[in-house]
Amino acid sequence: MQNLVYWQLVTKMVTFTRLCQWLCLILLMLLKTECTDKVNITFLKSAVTKGAVCLDGSPPAYQLDEGFGDGVDKWLIHIQGGGWCESTESCLLFVNKTNGVGSSKLMNKFRFSGVFSKKQSQNPGFYNWNRVIMRYCDGASFTGDVEKLTLGARIFNAIMKELLAKGLNHASNALLTGCSSGGLAAILYCDKFRAMLPETSRVKCVPDAGYFVHVKDISGKYHFQKFFNKIIKLHNSKINLPSSCTSKMKSGLCFYPQFILPEIKTPVFVINSAYDSYQVQNILAPEEADRYDSWSACKLNTSNCSRTQLMKLYGHYSKRTLNALCIVHPNIDRASKILVFFSDFRSDFIKALRSGMGRSKFNSTSRGLFINSCYSHCQTGFQASWLGAAASKLDNMAIAEVVSDWFYERNTTQLIDHQHIMPQQC
């Protein structure tokens, strides 16, 4: 009897041990899969002697996941976002940020997902390309040129020189992308990027959440423009902005794509949300314009918005649309339907977008649009929004599908979401 109990215990222990082994193996496989999505950082130490350095003097950096198959001569260069610093004090804060946007010493590896993924099922148009993330650390969209502070323009040139030597100079196809302040950089450097590559190459640019608009805020003023003015002055960015713009207007306005895009010759596809969360929080309702802090809760979650705030966001709609809005959102009552507000952000955003696109000398097939209603900022680097979540799709097409069709000239697409009158959680 004792032997029987003994062998039963042994059997249970063996079974438990095998179960643990299987669980450990599965865990290791998951960890290995996660790690394969992370690409090593290359620190460009040779660029330091040429003055191409981050805000703290550390070397610039990039991540490169090499292409394979028929993608070995195709390149996707992505400029990371990270905001801007407009004063010496704010730049010092950037240096100490743990996400490394001011110093390569603090940079962590980015996981390559969304438009960076090497899996065909997740990134059908660009999965086997050489995919590069140019790491952001200058605080001025790579436009700075001030000794002992910021030399972002030199960083862009240094990394491009390195990549050209690695095969970019023989690219058959090339795409310059960027997110947020990096998306703005992708617009600013679009024609320069084109000029660096062979004339026979197909070269295009896709800024993501980089179309910052010049519109009035809730106080009726342009507080955000003052912020851009300070950035350009501190970093001496004017010399690296398009002369076609700076020769016509103040340099501070030449950080706004609506004034830059009309002169860009290279094909551009704009990805943005009409309710871009950063722009709602900083252009529509910046702290300087919100004297009584009445927008804080609304900016964090649109379900907290008052009827007046919602109307400022949603814009001027037909009677039928407003009746529907009253039903689906409890914070809007019938009296709101007759109110007219000057700060109609969505409407102003679309007007600024059409202004930049419509007045372009190089319009038609060279310009693409994907403007959804997600209350978010940057979408191409996230798998769910790049090729997945239904909420981020337009005409039942994901961003990945539309951009790929546009790049390969299978279809010319300019999509703007007119179905949703409220910001969507995507």
Side-chain angles (χ1 to χ4, degrees):
M1 185 68 179
Q2 289 181 342
N3 288 338
L4 179 61
V5 172
Y6 171 78
W7 285 111
Q8 287 177 337
L9 288 172
V10 169
T11 302
K12 288 181 180 180
M13 289 178 65
V14 170
T15 302
F16 180 74
T17 301
R18 287 178 177 173
L19 178 62
C20 288
Q21 289 174 338
W22 276 107
L23 289 173
C24 289
L25 180 60
I26 293 171
L27 180 60
L28 285 171
M29 289 174 66
L30 289 173
L31 289 173
K32 184 177 180 182
T33 300
E34 179 180 337
C35 290
T36 56
D37 292 334
K38 291 186 178 180
V39 178
N40 288 332
I41 301 176
T42 298
F43 298 96
L44 203 55
K45 296 180 181 179
S46 61
V48 175
T49 57
K50 300 174 183 177
V53 294
C54 299
L55 287 170
D56 68 338
S58 58
Y62 66 90
Q63 290 173 260
L64 165 62
D65 195 10
E66 294 183 353
F68 54 93
D70 63 3
V72 293
D73 64 344
K74 300 177 178 68
W75 290 75
L76 185 150
I77 314 296
H78 178 87
I79 305 175
Q80 177 197 355
W84 307 275
C85 57
E86 85 290 3
S87 66
T88 303
E89 293 75 19
S90 63
C91 287
L92 287 174
L93 292 175
F94 260 57
V95 168
N96 295 314
K97 283 190 174 182
T98 55
N99 59 358
V101 293
S103 170
S104 61
K105 296 176 183 178
L106 299 176
M107 290 179 181
N108 295 314
K109 296 177 184 177
F110 271 169
R111 181 173 293 115
F112 277 43
S113 62
V115 71
F116 314 120
S117 176
K118 64 180 179 182
K119 299 176 182 177
Q120 187 173 8
S121 60
Q122 297 179 358
N123 185 25
F126 312 101
Y127 72 99
N128 62 347
W129 287 31
N130 296 283
R131 286 148 288 110
V132 180
I133 297 180
M134 189 181 296
R135 300 300 298 267
Y136 187 82
C137 66
D138 85 310
S141 292
F142 290 106
T143 62
D145 198 345
V146 178
E147 296 286 350
K148 296 183 180 180
L149 176 63
T150 170
L151 296 163
R154 297 188 194 182
I155 292 176
F156 179 85
N157 292 333
I159 294 178
M160 285 300 300
K161 183 179 179 180
E162 169 107 339
L163 297 176
L164 286 166
K166 287 181 175 289
L168 177 59
N169 60 331
H170 297 301
S172 62
N173 293 288
L175 188 62
L176 181 65
T177 75
C179 156
S180 188
S181 55
L184 173 59
I187 296 173
L188 292 170
Y189 281 110
C190 188
D191 280 345
K192 181 174 182 177
F193 180 70
R194 162 68 272 186
M196 290 178 168
L197 301 178
E199 292 183 6
T200 55
S201 304
R202 180 192 282 133
V203 181
K204 302 186 180 184
C205 303
V206 180
D208 175 14
Y211 202 96
F212 299 92
V213 291
H214 182 251
V215 298
K216 291 180 179 179
D217 55 40
I218 56 174
S219 69
K221 298 179 180 179
Y222 295 97
H223 283 98
F224 198 77
Q225 183 183 333
K226 296 178 182 178
F227 179 59
F228 270 177
N229 291 341
K230 290 178 181 178
I231 294 166
I232 291 170
K233 182 179 180 180
L234 177 70
H235 297 269
N236 192 29
S237 297
K238 181 178 178 179
I239 63 174
N240 291 306
L241 297 178
S243 59
S244 58
C245 180
T246 56
S247 62
K248 299 176 183 177
M249 57 186 71
K250 294 180 180 179
S251 56
L253 294 173
C254 297
F255 243 35
Y256 290 100
Q258 68 203 73
F259 304 122
I260 307 166
L261 196 57
E263 302 299 328
I264 294 177
K265 300 177 182 179
T266 309
V268 178
F269 190 103
V270 175
I271 299 171
N272 227 101
S273 170
Y275 293 117
D276 184 282
S277 57
Y278 178 90
Q279 297 197 51
V280 168
Q281 294 165 15
N282 295 279
I283 295 181
L284 172 63
E287 291 182 4
E288 298 88 342
D290 187 19
R291 294 176 57 189
Y292 301 104
D293 198 31
S294 59
W295 276 78
S296 294
C298 175
K299 290 191 291 186
L300 289 174
N301 190 328
T302 55
S303 64
N304 297 326
C305 297
S306 68
R307 68 187 185 194
T308 302
Q309 291 167 336
L310 288 169
M311 289 296 293
K312 286 179 183 289
L313 285 170
Y314 300 151
H316 313 308
Y317 292 93
S318 66
K319 184 175 181 180
R320 174 185 289 184
T321 303
L322 287 170
N323 280 329
L325 183 58
C326 291
I327 295 172
V328 299
H329 204 296
N331 285 338
I332 291 185
D333 60 19
R334 194 171 185 80
S336 298
K337 289 181 283 185
I338 61 173
L339 296 177
V340 178
F341 294 94
F342 61 82
S343 186
D344 165 6
F345 182 75
R346 186 184 189 281
S347 177
D348 286 347
F349 179 89
I350 299 300
K351 287 177 183 176
L353 180 68
R354 292 196 182 282
S355 175
M357 302 289 283
R359 289 188 293 109
S360 175
K361 300 174 185 176
F362 313 98
N363 201 6
S364 69
T365 58
S366 70
R367 297 292 186 253
L369 289 174
F370 191 99
I371 311 298
N372 59 21
S373 299
C374 296
Y375 191 66
S376 61
H377 186 62
C378 293
Q379 302 180 72
T380 56
F382 301 97
Q383 195 59 51
S385 50
W386 174 244
L387 183 67
S392 63
K393 294 182 178 181
L394 294 178
D395 287 356
N396 203 33
M397 294 185 70
I399 298 173
E401 298 171 286
V402 177
V403 172
S404 181
D405 283 348
W406 172 81
F407 183 86
Y408 289 107
E409 298 167 9
R410 295 189 290 256
N411 192 13
T412 302
T413 306
Q414 294 188 352
L415 296 177
I416 299 177
D417 183 13
H418 295 293
Q419 179 182 356
H420 299 102
I421 59 177
M422 294 188 292
Q424 302 296 299
Q425 298 300 321
C426 301

